[in-house]
């Protein structure tokens, strides 16, 4: 067959020397010829998305339908005729223009299709007519029936019956993807199918794959699967390929490599994998790489991300284990900083000071990042409780260097902002415990937070801190506002400005109380 196909390809290369006479009207679905079959009635067999007829016999296609994919209209074997264009490809292809009126011949009407064939052009003994489902486009191809029948079991069953009454003719009506069907037929005559598919591209290869499955073109199926497995896909092509595999059945040995790229062989939990990725980020010592990985995971977990559609949630317990691990590391680092320095290790202590600052900063950044993830997934209430109960960190804060301790207040700032904005709801006693432990350190470290903001909006912090404070009982509010007032009076801008919240508290505590008896008497 390979030698025969090669000879056919050589003939195709010489097709430019052919000519055709169109003095008569070429056969078309609108101009019935004695060898042409009319369109099937609704009761006619329709299998695989189109109806077929050959001679006096109609055949069923396998239960697979070509899907509609975009493809190039160019072809070496066939012409694609669409309204109002008339396109001729090299080779013996008859154009069909359903809208054109038959020309009035000056002489007696000749044969409808009169080719002048060169001496070495032999074997084109079958006319294949393909018609689109809506009847808008028709492709007529003259082919070598031997190659066609050897390539496709479907056409092999059609060709013998098509020989009755002279020339062989096969009609396929109701084709859903005309261009893909034409490409599949063209592929039968290619000596190197993979090279042809590489020129055609991924989208056309997917269309040919589905048509090849429908017409039982085994060589085409094998070539398409081999090509598809070896090249990258974009998301649109991936979805098309999944649709083809959902509609068609392929041999497992041939399709296993493609299926391995489409779906995992063993189901795995995306929740567990996400936690592993977060753990890897928190363990990273490369600042630049850690930030890039954080952005990547944030994109995957974003509520607007297409990747989260199959994610039912995060493993809350595992995330809090990571939080506890980071907090324990912070406790050890701050205890190390508060220990007295002996003279034998003083030089080493000074040399390791900068890496220690980086380690503290890294753990605090990890905690702020995980808190953001928990907050976005409505799981942050336990973090507030966990942070409020960090008694060891609260105790060592006062003795620690300002270069270290203000990083702790950065975590407190994010927690206070979440409370002040209403993004997390906690019981009153938990909010009171949080202010009892971390409000004073916040007043102390605010100046450092302004100078080393690292993206923190201190104006938003001031407003949110005041709003969070106003959620406490009025008597507790008074205690903290008195402490703030004294701090602000002595330190000025080194202390957060809670004036607006202070005015609200004052009005609620004293102005309203003076009118309560009148309201009660009513």
């Amino acid at each position: 067959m390979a030698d025969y196909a090669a000879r056919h390809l050589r003939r195709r290369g010489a097709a430019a020397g052919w000519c055709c006479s169109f003095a008569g009207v070429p056969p078309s679905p609108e101009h019935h010829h004695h060898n042409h079959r009319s369109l099937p009635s609704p009761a006619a067999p329709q299998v695989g998305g189109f109806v077929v007829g050959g001679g006096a016999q109609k055949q069923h296609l396998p239960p697979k339908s070509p899907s509609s994919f975009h493809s190039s209209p160019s072809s070496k074997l066939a012409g694609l005729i669409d309204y109002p264009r008339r396109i001729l490809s090299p080779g013996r292809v008859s154009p069909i223009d359903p809208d054109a009126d038959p020309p009035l011949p000056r002489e007696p009407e000749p044969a409808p299709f009169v080719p002048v064939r060169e001496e070495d052009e032999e074997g084109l003994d079958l006319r294949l007519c393909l018609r689109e489902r809506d009847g808008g486009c028709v492709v007529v191809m003259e082919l070598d029936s031997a190659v066609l029948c050897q390539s496709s079991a479907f056409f092999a069953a059609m060709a013998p019956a098509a020989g009755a009454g002279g020339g062989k003719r096969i009609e396929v009506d109701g084709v859903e993807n005309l261009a893909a069907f034409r490409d599949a037929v063209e592929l039968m005559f290619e000596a190197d199918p993979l090279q042809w598919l590489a020129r055609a591209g991924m989208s056309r290869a997917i269309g040919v794959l589905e048509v090849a499955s429908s017409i039982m073109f085994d060589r085409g199926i094998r070539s398409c699967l081999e090509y598809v497995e070896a090249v990258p896909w974009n998301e649109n092509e991936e979805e098309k390929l999944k649709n083809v595999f959902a509609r068609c059945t392929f041999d497992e040995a041939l399709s296993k490599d493609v299926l391995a790229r489409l779906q995992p062989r063993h189901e795995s939990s995306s929740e567990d994998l996400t936690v592993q990725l977060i753990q890897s980020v928190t363990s990273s010592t490369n600042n630049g790489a850690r930030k890039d990985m954080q952005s990547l995971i944030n994109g995957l977990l974003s509520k607007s991300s297409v990747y989260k559609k199959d994610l039912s949630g995060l493993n809350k317990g595992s995330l809090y284990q990571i939080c506890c691990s980071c907090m324990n590391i912070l406790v050890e680092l701050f205890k190390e900083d508060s220990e007295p320095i002996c003279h034998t290790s003083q030089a080493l202590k000074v040399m390791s000071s900068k890496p220690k600052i980086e380690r503290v900063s890294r753990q605090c950044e990890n905690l702020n990042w995980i808190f953001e993830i928990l907050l976005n997934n409505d799981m942050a209430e336990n973090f507030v409780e966990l942070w409020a109960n960090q008694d060891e960190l609260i105790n060592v804060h006062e003795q620690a260097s300002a270069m270290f301790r203000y990083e702790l207040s950065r975590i407190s700032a994010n927690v206070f902002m979440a409370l002040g904005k209403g993004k997390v709801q906690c019981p009153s006693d938990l909010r009171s415990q949080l202010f009892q432990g971390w409000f004073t350190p916040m007043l102390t470290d605010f100046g450092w937070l302004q100078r080393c903001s690292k993206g923190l909006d201190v104006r938003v912090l001031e407003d949110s801190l005041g709003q969070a404070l106003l959620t406490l009982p009025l008597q507790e509010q008074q205690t903290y506002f008195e402490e703030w007032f004294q701090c602000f009076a002595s330190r000025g801008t080194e202390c957060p400005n809670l004036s607006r919240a202070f005015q609200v508290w004052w009005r609620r505590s004293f102005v309203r109380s003076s009118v309560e008896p009148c309201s009660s008497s009513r």
Side-chain angles (χ1 to χ4, degrees):
M1 166 161 178
D3 294 338
Y4 195 91
R7 291 198 300 274
H8 182 87
L9 288 172
R10 287 195 295 272
R11 294 193 201 98
R12 236 179 3 153
W18 296 11
C19 64
C20 300
S21 171
F22 294 106
V25 181
S28 70
E30 287 73 26
H31 298 84
H32 295 286
H33 189 263
H34 68 279
N35 285 332
H36 180 73
R37 303 295 300 175
S38 60
L39 288 178
S41 64
Q46 297 194 26
V47 185
F50 41 81
V51 180
V52 295
Q57 180 180 358
K58 294 181 180 179
Q59 297 288 337
H60 292 258
L61 280 173
K64 307 176 185 69
S65 64
S67 60
S68 297
F69 301 122
H70 298 292
S71 61
S72 170
S74 63
S75 172
K76 295 180 180 178
L77 294 181
L80 180 60
I81 296 84
D82 200 352
Y83 302 116
R85 300 176 301 156
R86 288 158 54 95
I87 303 175
L88 286 177
S89 303
R92 297 187 55 182
V93 181
S94 61
I96 298 175
D97 189 349
D99 293 332
D101 294 327
L104 297 176
R106 299 178 181 178
E107 300 177 4
E109 183 175 348
F113 186 86
V114 183
V116 179
R117 178 182 300 177
E118 293 184 354
E119 292 182 359
D120 64 340
E121 295 297 330
E122 299 176 355
L124 305 184
D125 58 346
L126 183 142
R127 177 175 293 182
L128 176 62
C129 300
L130 308 175
R131 180 166 180 169
E132 204 171 30
R133 174 172 293 179
D134 59 4
C137 296
V138 178
V139 166
V140 179
M141 309 168 71
E142 289 205 347
L143 308 167
D144 188 329
S145 62
V147 176
L148 187 71
C149 296
Q150 289 174 14
S151 301
S152 166
F154 163 69
F155 285 120
M158 288 289 297
K168 298 179 182 179
R169 183 185 183 91
I170 297 179
E171 297 181 8
V172 183
D173 294 339
V175 178
E176 185 176 341
N177 189 346
L178 194 62
F181 204 116
R182 181 203 60 200
D183 285 345
V185 174
E186 181 175 339
L187 190 64
M188 296 178 186
F189 298 89
E190 288 292 333
D192 190 343
L194 287 178
Q195 192 175 59
W196 185 95
L197 291 168
R199 293 193 303 266
M202 181 66 181
S203 183
R204 290 176 67 183
I206 296 173
V208 172
L209 174 63
E210 188 165 9
V211 175
S213 176
S214 297
I215 62 176
M216 293 172 282
F217 176 22
D218 293 339
R219 178 168 167 260
I221 294 173
R222 183 169 56 253
S223 298
C224 287
L225 289 175
E226 184 177 349
Y227 169 76
V228 164
E229 192 279 329
V231 299
W233 315 326
N234 59 39
E235 292 187 11
N236 186 42
E237 293 165 347
E238 180 183 352
E239 289 301 317
K240 289 180 179 179
L241 199 56
K242 287 180 179 178
N243 291 334
V244 171
F245 271 80
R247 291 192 295 267
C248 303
T249 302
F250 300 103
D251 182 80
E252 183 178 357
L254 295 176
S255 61
K256 64 179 182 179
D257 291 337
V258 177
L259 287 173
R261 288 181 58 182
L262 285 174
Q263 57 190 23
R265 295 182 180 179
H266 304 287
E267 292 294 332
S268 59
S269 172
S270 59
E271 301 176 16
D272 296 338
L273 180 59
T274 302
V275 171
Q276 293 178 20
L277 296 176
I278 293 174
Q279 177 68 63
S280 298
V281 173
T282 58
S283 303
S284 173
T285 57
N286 187 306
N287 292 333
R290 189 173 69 253
K291 291 183 183 301
D292 290 340
M293 290 188 292
Q294 286 176 351
S295 298
L296 175 61
I297 294 178
N298 289 341
L300 296 177
L301 298 180
S302 171
K303 292 182 179 180
S304 61
S305 173
V306 296
Y307 301 104
K308 198 182 177 184
K309 55 186 176 184
D310 297 326
L311 187 64
S312 58
L314 289 169
N315 191 317
K316 182 178 178 180
S318 298
L319 285 178
Y320 275 102
Q321 288 179 359
I322 298 175
C323 288
C324 291
S325 175
C326 293
M327 290 180 184
N328 291 335
I329 294 176
L330 280 176
V331 170
E332 295 301 321
L333 289 172
F334 274 87
K335 282 184 177 180
E336 177 185 329
D337 184 60
S338 61
E339 292 175 355
I341 301 176
C342 60
H343 66 280
T344 57
S345 61
Q346 185 172 2
L348 181 62
K349 195 78 171 180
V350 172
M351 291 178 62
S352 63
S353 176
K354 184 176 181 180
K356 179 179 177 181
I357 295 175
E358 292 179 355
R359 293 198 302 270
V360 170
S361 177
R362 182 168 66 247
Q363 297 305 323
C364 291
E365 287 179 1
N366 288 337
L367 287 169
N368 282 322
W369 177 53
I370 297 176
F371 176 67
E372 180 183 358
I373 294 175
L374 293 169
L375 195 63
N376 292 335
N377 288 272
D378 301 322
M379 296 186 294
E381 181 178 336
N382 292 82
F383 187 95
V384 178
E385 181 178 3
L386 189 64
W387 189 242
N389 288 320
Q390 291 300 307
D391 295 334
E392 286 187 279
L393 283 176
I394 294 172
N395 291 333
V396 299
H397 176 274
E398 186 176 353
Q399 291 81 28
S401 168
M403 292 186 297
F404 298 149
R405 69 188 187 195
Y406 88 96
E407 293 286 359
L408 298 179
S409 292
R410 189 183 305 280
I411 300 174
S412 299
N414 286 319
V415 175
F416 284 133
M417 286 192 294
L419 287 173
K421 294 178 180 180
K423 291 184 177 180
V424 60
Q425 296 78 42
C426 300
S428 176
D429 58 343
L430 180 56
R431 298 196 303 273
S432 298
Q433 184 180 1
L434 179 70
F435 272 90
Q436 182 180 354
W438 292 108
F439 183 72
T440 300
M442 175 59 67
L443 298 181
T444 304
D445 297 333
F446 186 80
W448 276 87
L449 289 175
Q450 287 187 106
R451 290 186 290 272
C452 306
S453 61
K454 295 183 180 180
L456 177 66
D457 191 330
V458 292
R459 302 286 83 83
V460 174
L461 171 59
E462 289 175 324
D463 183 68
S464 300
L465 180 60
Q467 292 297 319
L469 203 161
L470 291 172
T471 65
L472 301 178
L474 287 174
Q475 191 61 42
E476 292 184 23
Q477 292 181 37
Q478 180 173 345
T479 301
Y480 293 118
F481 276 120
E482 288 178 358
E483 179 182 358
W484 163 79
F485 198 91
Q486 294 177 1
C487 177
F488 191 76
S490 60
R491 300 178 57 191
T493 58
E494 288 290 298
C495 184
N497 189 343
L498 306 181
S499 300
R500 294 176 58 186
F502 180 84
Q503 295 176 37
V504 173
W505 163 76
W506 183 275
R507 176 177 54 81
R508 290 175 179 175
S509 298
F510 303 109
V511 178
R512 280 189 174 184
S513 61
S514 62
V515 299
E516 283 180 359
C518 298
S519 300
S520 301
S521 62
R522 294 178 183 176

